[in-house]
Amino acid sequence: MFLASAPVITLRCPGEAYDIPLAVHRARLAAGYAKCRHCPHHPEAVALAATPCAETSDAPESPGSPEAGPGVALGDSSLAPAVAALFQPEGIRGVYLNQLDRQLAGELAAAFAQELARDLPELRSDTGLEPDPSAEAVPEWGEGVRVLQAGVPGPVVVLAHDERPSSPDLARGVCLALRRMGFQVVDLGLATRGEFGWALGQLEGVGGVLVTGAGKGPEWTGLDLAGPGGEPWSQPGRLSDVLRTWQNGVVRTARRSGGLRSTRLRTEYLAQYQSDCHGLRPLRVAWSCAARLPTRLVRQVLQTTACQLFEVETPVRSRGLEVLAERDLQPLVDCVLRERAHLGLWVDELGQQVWLVDERGVLVPSERHAGWLQSSECGVKDRKSTRLNSSHSS
C-alpha cells in the first residue's frame, strides 16, 4: 500500500514531447546525454542551465509551479542569464556544445536577422501579403538547402566561418535560421575576417555572420555579427539589441524562405595585395600564426616575389593582443635572430591583428607601425590621384 500510494515522478527532456522515468533520467545523466546540460535537475544545474525541463508527478503541484510541457518558449526570462553571459563586447563566445550549440546559434542568428529586418520594410510579416504557394519552404526538421539562382532579388547576408572543427556545425544552424527569416545567404565557407569584411562590401550585403571562436581556446566557438559594409556589431550597441530581441522572442519577418548560394572571391581578394607586393624587394620574413588559412594566403601572395617566409608554429589558446604573453612572442624573436630575418610578424588566427618585431628581435610599438600603414595608404592614394590627373590632362 505504501508503494502504491507513492507519487510517480516523471521528467521531460528539453524539446521532447514525452515523459521519461527517473531511472532513464539518471541513466542519461551518466551517459552524458546532450540535453542533460540544459536540465535544472542536473547536479551542476546552476552553471549549466539553459532550457529547463518540465517536471510532472501525480502529487499536487505547488502554487505557482509551471505547467508540464515540452519546454520553455524562446525568450523566456529564465534563459536570459545563461545566454547573456555569452555576449561579450565584440561578439558572442561560448564553449562548444556545453554553452553554445547549433540550435542556440540559429536562434541568435534569427534575432540578428530580425534586427536587420527593422530597416527592410519589405521583409516585415505585417505587410498584408499572402504567402506565395509556389515558394519552397525550408523544412523545420531538415538540413537541406536549395540553390538560389543568380539574379534573384532580395537582401543578402554573408556567412563565413573559421577553421575550428566546431565552426561548420554552427554555420549550418545559422544558415538555416537566416534563410527561414527571409534572407539570401551567400556562403563564403572558410575565410579570414579581412576576407569576410571585404566580401560583404563587394556583395552589397545588408549584414554578415562570421562563425569563430577567435580570442579563446580551441574548445570555444561563437558568432561575430556585422552590418552593411562590414561594420562590426558590439555592445553596448547593436549587439545588445540582438540579445534583447532574443529575450523578447523572435518573430519571423518574411512570408517565404530565402535562398543559398556559395561563392569564392579569394582570387579577387588576393589580387589587390599581389599588385602591391609585385615590386617588393627581397625580404626575409618570420611568420607566426595559430591558424593555417592566413599562413596559406600569405604564402600565395608572396609566391611571385623574391621574399622568403619562415614559419613559426604557434598553438591555439585563449589570448589577446593586449595581453600577448612572452611564450607567444619568444619563438618568433628566436626565429628572427636565427634566420637573420628583416622582420617578424605575429598574427591572430583571423589574420586581422598583428605584432611586429624588427631585425634585432625588438617589439615595435603598435602606434609606430600603425603610423607607417597610414602614411603608406596616403601615399598610395596620392599616387593614384596623380596618375588619374595626368591621364585626364593627356
Side-chain angles (χ1 to χ4, degrees), residues 37-169:
R37 69 181 183 275
H38 299 313
C39 178
H41 302 285
H42 192 283
E44 301 177 0
V46 175
L48 300 177
T51 305
C53 301
E55 181 181 10
T56 61
S57 70
D58 294 341
E61 292 184 350
S62 59
S65 62
E67 182 180 353
V72 178
L74 177 65
D76 189 275
S77 59
S78 62
L79 308 182
V83 176
L86 304 179
F87 280 70
Q88 301 185 5
E90 299 300 329
I92 301 169
R93 294 292 185 273
V95 176
Y96 179 55
L97 295 183
N98 288 344
Q99 295 176 312
L100 184 59
D101 57 12
R102 183 197 299 183
Q103 178 181 350
L104 181 55
E107 293 174 1
L108 296 177
F112 169 64
Q114 184 171 328
E115 282 299 308
L116 289 177
R118 295 184 188 278
D119 300 327
L120 301 171
E122 67 273 14
L123 284 184
R124 293 177 183 169
S125 57
D126 57 352
T127 55
L129 298 177
E130 293 297 325
D132 185 0
S134 63
E136 180 182 353
V138 179
E140 295 293 331
W141 50 266
E143 305 294 345
V145 292
R146 61 183 175 85
V147 177
L148 177 70
Q149 299 298 324
V152 176
V156 170
V157 174
V158 177
L159 174 64
H161 63 82
D162 65 9
E163 60 189 49
R164 294 179 179 231
S166 58
S167 295
D169 180 43

Side-chain angles (χ1 to χ4, degrees), residues 176-220:
L176 291 175
L178 292 173
R179 293 188 59 214
R180 194 173 292 116
M181 296 294 287
F183 288 86
Q184 299 181 42
V185 177
V186 179
D187 185 12
L188 300 179
L190 182 62
T192 64
R193 191 188 299 273
E195 186 178 1
F196 165 74
W198 181 83
L200 210 163
Q202 294 295 311
L203 297 170
E204 299 182 347
V206 297
V209 180
L210 177 62
V211 180
T212 176
K216 298 291 186 177
E219 73 278 11
W220 288 71

Side-chain angles (χ1 to χ4, degrees), residues 312-368:
V312 179
E313 185 176 354
T314 304
V316 177
R317 54 174 170 257
S318 299
R319 55 185 158 198
L321 288 182
E322 67 280 0
V323 291
L324 186 64
E326 184 179 352
R327 60 176 178 171
D328 295 318
L329 197 59
Q330 191 58 48
L332 179 65
V333 172
D334 295 340
C335 181
V336 168
L337 299 177
R338 182 176 62 253
E339 303 295 342
R340 296 183 178 180
H342 295 94
L343 75 158
L345 298 172
W346 187 97
V347 182
D348 75 330
E349 59 181 300
L350 283 179
Q352 185 185 31
Q353 298 174 301
V354 62
W355 280 103
L356 183 64
V357 174
D358 63 18
E359 70 280 3
R360 301 168 299 168
V362 178
L363 184 66
V364 179
S366 57
E367 58 270 15
R368 288 189 59 189

Side-chain angles (χ1 to χ4, degrees), residues 5-55:
S5 62
V8 178
I9 298 178
T10 58
L11 303 172
R12 186 171 298 182
C13 287
E16 295 183 355
Y18 56 90
D19 297 338
I20 59 173
L22 188 60
V24 175
H25 164 70
R26 290 172 176 169
R28 287 182 173 182
L29 283 174
Y33 190 54
K35 295 180 180 180
C36 289
R37 69 181 183 275
H38 299 313
C39 178
H41 302 285
H42 192 283
E44 301 177 0
V46 175
L48 300 177
T51 305
C53 301
E55 181 181 10

Side-chain angles (χ1 to χ4, degrees), residues 270-283 300-307:
L270 293 180
Q272 55 185 334
Y273 298 105
Q274 289 173 329
S275 62
D276 292 337
C277 296
H278 178 70
L280 196 65
R281 70 182 180 90
L283 293 175
Q300 190 171 341
V301 169
L302 296 181
Q303 66 182 357
T304 58
T305 69
C307 297

